[in-house]
Amino acid sequence: MSIVTEILKKIKEYDVITIHGHIRPDGDCYGCQFGLKNIIKTSFPEKEVYVVGEVCNYVTWLGEPDVIDDEKFKGALSICVDCANEERLSDQRFKLADYVIKIDHHIPVTQYGNMQYVLEEKPACAQIIFEIYDEHKDELKITREGAIALYTGILTDTGRFRYDSVEPATFIAAAKLLALGVDIVDIDNKLSVESLDVLKYKGYILSNFCMTPEGFAYVVVKQDVINSYGISMEDAANQVNLLSTIPGYPVWALIIEYPAEIRIRLRSRGPNVDTLANQYGGGGHAKAAGAKLESWDQLDTFIKDASLVAKEYNEAIK
Ligand code: AMP
């Protein structure tokens, strides 16, 4: 039996299903959670299906997480989407569930769950969810609402169809979702709106980023700066790709101070950076990874390590 057939068997078997995503959910995580909920609820209306975890202010229109008691998890199936490692799951109560399935597209960091369906080559986890639906249309249903969630997931995690992991199947998925009634202009408009404060903050990033001679561009954003612009942490962290275009700078990062951690958002259009992220308590994809600094004392070492990755790449392509 294929893994997908086994996943469907489990979905049919359980009356209560909880869907978990990662901390600080992004468009793909939310898109998977609400898209999958829609597929299960539309196909099996008698089941109780809950999306749990943190709110994502970036794509609020996809839905709102459910608030449920611990009791609900007992005897339930938990499906965890878009998350490589157990500790990054935003509602840890999947540990109370009877059976746990992981569906993901990240390079695995630590394994968790009773069953794993991980396709690292897929540009978005929402594409995996769509393909599960598409290949089992004889028994699964989706509504326009679910299609919007999955399309938003694919759109956001591919940088609007620009990243190198985009494959023909990505456009096929998008085309089929479009045929289900997705309004692509509306979604693009919603994702493109920016407040005046965020625009001004972008000016700060562009005026204050640093470049190392080896080819690493980065910006450090501390709490006082975020507060002075009156923007959310999410909006502050989202601007990493402002540094993506500089010739000779294939690696870039936004290093941002959260109340309880220093988060690194690391990006590349050349060398793989997931191994570097692993060295700093993180992971992700080859060209888009996240990591942490234990303290600001580690910053210089991280800059040196990232510069080395950029340098080796720049020398190799000379
Ligand atoms: P971010 O810059 O946080 O958007 O991260 C880029 C990619 O790496 C996303 O797909 C994240 O899910 C993943 N990622 C971020 N932080 C971590 C981490 N600490 N451990 C594993 N994966 C991560």
Side-chain angles (χ1 to χ4, degrees), residues 155-301:
L155 188 68
T156 50
D157 241 36
T158 59
R160 306 193 192 188
F161 303 106
R162 286 189 303 128
Y163 298 155
D164 67 356
S165 48
V166 170
E167 53 179 357
T170 314
F171 286 103
I172 291 169
K176 290 184 175 178
L177 290 166
L178 193 61
L180 285 164
V182 171
D183 182 341
I184 58 167
V185 175
D186 180 56
I187 294 176
D188 198 68
N189 285 343
K190 282 181 174 138
L191 292 172
S192 302
V193 167
E194 265 174 350
S195 71
L196 189 58
D197 291 333
V198 171
L199 270 185
K200 288 182 180 165
Y201 166 75
K202 279 179 152 181
Y204 172 87
I205 302 276
L206 293 174
S207 311
N208 289 281
F209 73 88
C210 307
M211 297 156 86
T212 70
E214 293 87 358
F216 174 53
Y218 66 94
V219 63
V220 172
V221 183
K222 295 204 174 169
Q223 276 292 323
D224 56 337
V225 169
I226 300 165
N227 294 340
S228 73
Y229 285 91
I231 58 172
S232 67
M233 291 305 300
E234 211 171 353
D235 280 335
N238 268 349
Q239 310 308 329
V240 57
N241 282 332
L242 280 180
L243 308 182
S244 67
T245 56
I246 315 162
Y249 288 79
V251 182
W252 65 97
L254 185 143
I255 302 156
I256 179 165
E257 183 179 49
Y258 277 70
E261 71 172 341
I262 304 168
R263 176 184 175 199
I264 303 170
R265 302 198 74 199
L266 184 60
R267 299 292 184 268
S268 166
R269 60 170 186 281
N272 291 351
V273 290
D274 55 294
T275 317
L276 175 62
N278 292 153
Q279 286 164 28
Y280 288 85
H285 305 287
K287 307 282 193 271
K292 286 175 269 196
L293 291 181
E294 295 306 329
S295 75
W296 287 114
D297 295 342
Q298 253 193 320
L299 179 62
D300 286 347
T301 317

Side-chain angles (χ1 to χ4, degrees), residues 14-41:
Y14 284 87
D15 298 330
V16 179
I17 300 171
T18 62
I19 305 177
H20 302 242
H22 55 76
I23 53 166
R24 294 189 292 261
D26 55 12
D28 190 28
C29 179
Y30 238 43
C32 287
Q33 287 183 280
F34 289 101
L36 183 59
K37 176 178 177 175
N38 180 277
I39 293 168
I40 300 173
K41 267 313 267 183

Side-chain angles (χ1 to χ4, degrees), residues 77-148:
L77 167 67
S78 286
I79 305 180
C80 305
V81 295
D82 196 39
C83 187
N85 35 348
E86 185 168 335
E87 58 280 11
R88 290 191 80 235
L89 283 161
S90 73
D91 188 326
Q92 290 281 321
R93 292 179 296 171
F94 66 91
K95 288 175 182 157
L96 305 176
D98 190 53
Y99 198 87
V100 178
I101 298 175
K102 171 190 187 185
I103 303 178
D104 190 26
H105 71 135
H106 294 98
I107 299 163
V109 178
T110 52
Q111 208 48 282
Y112 65 87
N114 305 92
M115 192 192 292
Q116 294 88 23
Y117 186 51
V118 179
L119 301 178
E120 286 172 40
E121 70 283 7
K122 295 286 170 186
C125 192
Q127 186 183 322
I128 301 176
I129 305 287
F130 173 77
E131 286 167 357
I132 293 175
Y133 153 76
D134 195 45
E135 283 155 25
H136 296 84
K137 276 203 290 262
D138 50 329
E139 45 186 341
L140 296 178
K141 296 191 186 87
I142 192 169
T143 68
R144 181 171 168 268
E145 207 184 358
I148 290 171

